[in-house]
Amino acid sequence: MKSIGCTLAHAALTGALALAAVGSVAVPATAQAQPGSNPLLWCFVGPNDQPGNGPFGRCTSFYPSSSYRADFEVRNLPAGNYSYVWTNDLGMVLPCTTNRCYVTYQSGAGGGVIDTVSVTYTDLATGVATTLGRTVAIGGPI
């Protein structure tokens, strides 16, 4: 017989893997950045009971609140001039024009929020455009 703690840990791991799978499927054309010197999209959702340490930050929060802010930042770009276009899950263009953007979310009654924010940055010298994306997961059941 499994203990309640073991069952909860298994449920949390299953939920985390499901969220990770959603994030990788939601933006199939998104560049898959690796930590290190490659460009990546950092994200942090606050308030949060966990730190956003590490190269990718923390794009989830289960901390109880009525509103949340997700901060995004394109990191590790080579020196140069870039233009940025930020969009959300619905394809709406967000009002951000630099390598940083934020989105505010309101938590629904008993439900969670899932959104994917993408940025397409274009190297103005070469015309090469690259898209990065992150999935935000807030509240709701694990």
Side-chain angles (χ1 to χ4, degrees):
M1 176 183 285
K2 292 183 178 179
S3 71
I4 292 174
C6 181
T7 302
L8 289 175
H10 185 271
L13 177 61
T14 302
L17 291 174
L19 286 174
V22 167
S24 64
V25 173
V27 187
T30 301
Q32 299 297 318
Q34 299 296 319
S37 62
N38 293 325
L40 58 89
L41 184 56
W42 179 87
C43 172
F44 184 77
V45 175
N48 209 316
D49 59 351
Q50 300 292 317
N53 301 338
F56 293 105
R58 181 166 174 79
C59 219
T60 60
S61 178
F62 296 102
Y63 190 86
S65 181
S66 60
S67 68
Y68 299 84
R69 176 176 157 151
D71 290 289
F72 301 92
E73 181 179 359
V74 178
R75 294 185 173 178
N76 299 336
L77 283 178
N81 292 318
Y82 299 89
S83 66
Y84 300 87
V85 177
W86 294 83
T87 57
N88 68 4
D89 229 4
L90 302 174
M92 295 172 50
V93 176
L94 304 175
C96 307
T97 58
T98 68
N99 69 320
R100 293 182 178 159
C101 192
Y102 74 89
V103 179
T104 302
Y105 298 95
Q106 303 299 316
S107 63
V113 174
I114 302 243
D115 189 22
T116 299
V117 173
S118 299
V119 58
T120 299
Y121 61 91
T122 303
D123 184 326
L124 298 178
T126 65
V128 173
T130 304
T131 300
L132 300 171
R134 292 293 303 270
T135 298
V136 173
I138 298 171
I142 295 179

